[in-house]
Each structure stands twice: as structure tokens, then as C-alpha cells.
Amino acid sequence: MAVITGYRQPGLLSKQTVHYDTYVGFDNAVYGDVLAPRDFYLSPSYTVGSITNNLPIDVEPTDSIIGYRQPTFLNDYFFRIHLTPGAFDVGNLLSTRVETITLWNAYLDPQQLLSTTSINADGIDVEQPPIMPSYFASLELRSYTLTIGIDGSPIIDAIILYVFDNDSLSMAIVGRRVVVWPYKPKYPLKETFEWKTNIIQTFNGEQRIALRDAPRQSTNFESVLYNQDFPKAKAIAYQWADKVFGMPTWIDIRHVSTVLVGSLFIDVDTTNADFRPDDIVLLWSSNGSYEAVETLAVTATRINLKLPVSATMYDVYITPVRFANAFSGVQFSRDSDAIIVASSDFDVRNNLNISADVGLPKHKTLQVLTDDVLSSEAVTDKYMRSMDVFDNGSGSISVEVKTNYVDILTKVSIHAFSPAEVWRYKQFFGSLYGRQKTFFIPSGSNDFTILDNIGSTSSSIRITNVNYNLYYDIQFIMLKLDNGSILFNRIFSSTVNVDGTEQLNLESTFGVAITASSIVQASILKHVRLDTDKIELTHSVGGRMQCSFVVREVPYVV
């Protein structure tokens, strides 16, 4: 084993013995004084170097040290150019808007404004120094006028750039120019909502996928104009044909007696109408007296405005305004009585989904449209089977069915007699998302004659024979009682009794006792969806509305 000779550094206890046997890995240690020999310390090899006396030491350092001043609160404001404001969001520009902008030279020495550049700023005028370049004195503050006119691109997306010796600043201006079509339409007024649904049909059913969260909305306008209105209407139609109109939704019209100049709110009933915050409403007194104002907030009884009303108005009608395009243009027709009719279809760009639960009864979690069908035309049913017909024109015709169920189409019509009812139906149609969602609707006829009372625990009904098993598969049934109650159930099968009557076997009990004499109507409950994604509402005077639509029966799948 190797032997290493070592020495303990002399210390306070220079004669202390180190016991190496207490350390792991050491053996055959020699006990005793382990200090190095005295001559070792005195030998030249131990000397590190000569000792230099540096006393006295200077208090101040003699070398130059480069330092930097720490940024402070002062730097947040000075030694730069300030542009206020840095951006303008004009929102929906309804009239010329004049604003003030400020430039402050916060340097402690003069600064030179080299140039001012406007980008995409058609219809925007920025006041500039009369002579360029222009010198700003130390800490000089200047104010300039910014004018944003209604003539220009419908979408405002401008940049104003200021270039100084040591700084470049930019101000963004964004918004939308809106020209209101102020001519009140005549009734009837047609309003259309159109969704988009992808339907994947199979042999046993179908899958439906909604492709729009909110429907596209369009309104057909026919407005009566007089000679004094015609020039302005033509000018609007000519200049704004390809741009975005502000289209009043006259269907949601409200009336107040007076709106005072400077008003920042209007007390009016906004329920059952599409008034929205951060939007536009039209205050209309006549074709020549109106004002479009922006809303800040909307409650059930008040509309708060962003800017004060510019003039006092009397006998005022208030209606929401939507952004819309007149893709088919505006058509004017004149007769010998100097009456002009302006007509157009306005397609809304900013419609929202207004779907809501309107309080209809539900069965199997689906809405049941139990409203009475009120129409001068009869309810029509059409039975057909989806099939492929192969006909080469010379031989026999062959047919191949595409589904194992019959397509039953039913045309119904509903009426509303108040704005509240109109709003309710709009929310109902919105909840269907066009053809995507299904619901139940009764057949509207007395399909079964019930012969016996129905016990609370009974799960069958005895009826006059209708050969249910021969003509129907599994269907739903609705019972309407004379006390106004409506009960639902599902028919699984039927059997013919020995006395010739028929027994319907139900999915479950009704849960209540029912006398046969209390049943006003026992009808088949159809599981349906809309046949098209388009719904057309026809509005008339007094807040009335009529709508005809077709529903298609589809298989009920749990």
C-alpha cells in the first residue's frame, strides 16, 4: 500500500495529536506530533513572495468608472413626444364628428415635426401646421382639429402618422359609416329568417347539423315617398348602393310623445323587441325629421345614450337600426298622382340569435307547439316516400326506396295579435335553428275516440277501432281535457278486442284519473322538424303577424 507523508498546518494548538485511526480508509498511522519540521517553514521553497507596504491607502478610487442614471418617474413623461389620444373608435358614424388631438413636446429642447401622413383616411381631415417642417419649442403643447365626415369608405380603418426628429407616433381611427334609410314602410311588411342545416339522411333516420348560430335576416321594404322626398332618396340609393345602410326595424317600433334636446336617456318600453346595448336606434318624427343615436345600455324601461340628442322632437317613433345591404338595389315607381314607391330587400349583416324558452309544454324534453292553428286556409297533409325511380324511357319502371319510413309533410299557419306574441314566435323559431331541432305538434284533429275512463295506474286505452297496427308504427298521443290540462304519452302497440274495439298499449301511465267525458280531443302527436331553413313572417298594422310553414315528420330516436 502506498504511504503518503503529510503535515498538519500549524495552528493555535501546534502540539495537538491527530488520531487518524478514527478516519475510515487510513491504516498504520503513526501517532505523535505531526507538525512539519521547523526547517520546512524556513526553507526558501516555502516563501511565497516579498511583502510590500501599501499604507496609507487613498480614500477615493483613482480609476474612472462609467455609470448610468437609473430611470425614474420623470422618464415616463419627459424626453419624448406625447400624442393624445393614441386611437379613436368612432363606433357607428351617423354624422360628421369633430375631435381635438394634442401633441406635446416633452423634451427639454426643441423638436422638429418633419411630416404628417394619412393612410386610408378618405373622408377624414386632420389640421396641420401651415409650414412643414415645424419646430416645437421645449415643452410646447399644440392642439389640432380632427374631422371625420360621413362621406367616405363604409369601414373606417385609418392611420395618422407623425414623424419627428427623434420620434414617430401613430394614431388609429376605426369605425363604420352608416347612412340610415329613413323612409317608413307601408304594410304588409315581410320579414325573413334563414338558417342553414346540413342533413345527412340514412335508411332509418337522419342526422342534422346546424351551420349558423344566428339566422340571416332580410326585410322587404315598400316606402311611400312624396316629391320632396324623392331627390334625397335617389341620392342615397345612388351613392350608397354598394355600401352598408342603417335599416330601421320598423317591426319593433315604439312611440314617445317628446324627446328633448340634450337628453342622454329615453324612457320607453323595450320588452318584446330587439333593442340592444352598444347599438343604434332611430328617433323618427317624419321623413325630414329624424336622428340616429347610439345606445349605451338598455333596460326594460329605458334606453341610455352615448351622446346627447341634438334637437327636440315631438311625436317620436323609436326603432332599432340594423346594418344591411341592398344587394338587389332600390327600385322607384311613380304614378300620375306624384306618389313614388321605393322598394328594396335589405339583408341584415349583424343579426343575433334570440332563441329562448317561450314556455311551451314539453314531452321527452322537446317543445310541444300546442298553440291553436288560426288560418283561413285548411291544414294540409302530404304523405310520400323517399325513393329513387329508374326509368330509361322504353322499358319498365323500377323503384328503390331510400328510407324505411314515410315522409309526412304538414302545412300549418299561425297568427300573432300583439308585439309580445310576435316576439314569442321569433324566439321559438330561433330555438329550432331552422331544420336542426325537432319538436312535437298535434295533428289538430280528434284521431281517437276513447270509450272508457282511464285510471291513474292504467297503461292502456280502449278506443273505437282505427286499425292502428295496420296503418301506424309507434306514435305519440296527446289528450286535451276540458279543464285545460294537456297530457302526453307514447303508443307502443295495439290489440283488437273480441267486441271489435281496439286497445292502445302505452309506454307509461298518465298518473291521473281521466274520465272519458272530460277528453276534448285525443290526437296523434307528431315528431317533426321544419321542412326548410327559411321562415317568412308577414307583419300588418297593430303589431299583428301571420306565418305559414311546412313541417316534416321524422323518426323519433331515443
Side-chain angles (χ1 to χ4, degrees), residues 16 64 85 107 130 158 191 323 363 422 455 474 477 491 510 541 548:
Q16 182 180 357
S64 299
Y107 284 95
E191 183 182 26
F323 301 127
H363 183 52
V422 173
I474 297 176
I477 185 173
I491 305 171
F510 284 104
V541 178
S548 295

Side-chain angles (χ1 to χ4, degrees), residues 93 96-97 120-125 147-153 177:
L93 187 65
T96 299
R97 184 165 172 176
N120 298 328
D122 54 319
I124 299 175
D125 180 60
T147 304
I148 309 170
I150 60 173
D151 295 325
S153 172
R177 288 185 174 91

Side-chain angles (χ1 to χ4, degrees), residues 43-298:
S43 64
S45 61
Y46 182 77
T47 303
V48 176
S50 60
I51 299 175
T52 302
N53 186 354
N54 291 316
L55 296 176
I57 299 174
D58 292 339
V59 177
E60 298 294 335
T62 58
D63 293 335
S64 299
I65 300 175
I66 298 175
Y68 299 93
R69 183 168 59 86
Q70 186 73 12
T72 65
F73 187 69
L74 183 73
N75 298 81
D76 293 337
Y77 286 93
F78 293 93
F79 312 111
R80 67 186 64 210
I81 303 292
H82 291 270
L83 172 62
T84 307
F88 265 120
D89 184 355
V90 299
N92 302 304
L93 187 65
L94 305 165
S95 59
T96 299
R97 184 165 172 176
V98 179
E99 299 287 349
T100 299
I101 60 176
T102 60
L103 282 169
W104 177 36
N105 174 24
Y107 284 95
L108 302 182
D109 52 4
Q111 296 294 313
Q112 182 177 217
L113 174 60
L114 300 176
S115 64
T116 302
T117 305
S118 299
I119 304 171
N120 298 328
D122 54 319
I124 299 175
D125 180 60
V126 184
E127 183 184 1
Q128 299 184 15
I131 300 175
M132 296 289 286
S134 178
Y135 284 91
F136 280 64
S138 172
L139 303 179
E140 181 180 358
L141 176 70
R142 294 184 188 176
S143 297
Y144 294 106
T145 300
L146 172 68
T147 304
I148 309 170
I150 60 173
D151 295 325
S153 172
I155 302 299
I156 303 172
D157 189 10
I159 297 291
I160 309 300
L161 182 65
Y162 293 91
V163 179
F164 285 81
D165 285 325
N166 300 314
D167 272 305
S168 292
L169 302 96
S170 63
M171 177 177 62
I173 305 173
V174 297
R176 182 193 300 268
R177 288 185 174 91
V178 179
V179 171
V180 175
W181 184 256
Y183 306 108
K184 193 175 180 180
K186 65 177 184 177
Y187 290 100
L189 181 63
K190 292 184 179 180
E191 183 182 26
T192 302
F193 296 91
E194 187 171 2
W195 293 263
K196 190 174 181 64
T197 309
N198 182 24
I199 295 183
I200 304 171
Q201 192 175 59
T202 67
F203 189 71
N204 296 316
E206 62 183 25
Q207 181 182 6
R208 300 170 298 274
I209 304 171
L211 302 181
R212 289 178 191 159
D213 179 62
R216 291 184 178 176
Q217 179 185 5
S218 62
T219 305
N220 175 262
F221 268 59
E222 283 194 356
S223 304
V224 177
L225 310 178
Y226 296 96
N227 278 334
Q228 62 268 28
D229 303 320
F230 192 33
K232 181 178 179 179
K234 282 196 302 180
I236 294 176
Y238 178 80
Q239 294 289 344
W240 223 253
D242 61 330
K243 300 172 184 173
V244 179
F245 286 86
M247 183 204 74
T249 59
W250 298 98
I251 298 154
D252 296 325
I253 196 169
R254 297 293 185 267
H255 180 265
V256 294
S257 59
T258 305
V259 177
L260 298 176
V261 62
S263 298
L264 280 170
F265 62 87
I266 303 171
D267 289 325
V268 64
D269 179 16
T270 65
T271 58
N272 304 311
D274 200 7
F275 289 95
R276 305 173 188 172
D278 196 23
D279 204 50
I280 303 175
V281 296
L282 179 68
L283 312 179
W284 188 92
S285 182
S286 67
N287 287 347
S289 176
Y290 60 88
E291 181 179 354
V293 292
E294 291 187 271
T295 63
L296 178 65
V298 176

Side-chain angles (χ1 to χ4, degrees), residues 305-325:
L305 307 178
K306 291 184 178 180
L307 297 173
V309 177
S310 63
T312 298
M313 302 174 67
Y314 302 97
D315 192 23
V316 183
Y317 292 92
I318 303 173
T319 177
V321 175
R322 297 287 168 264
F323 301 127
N325 289 96

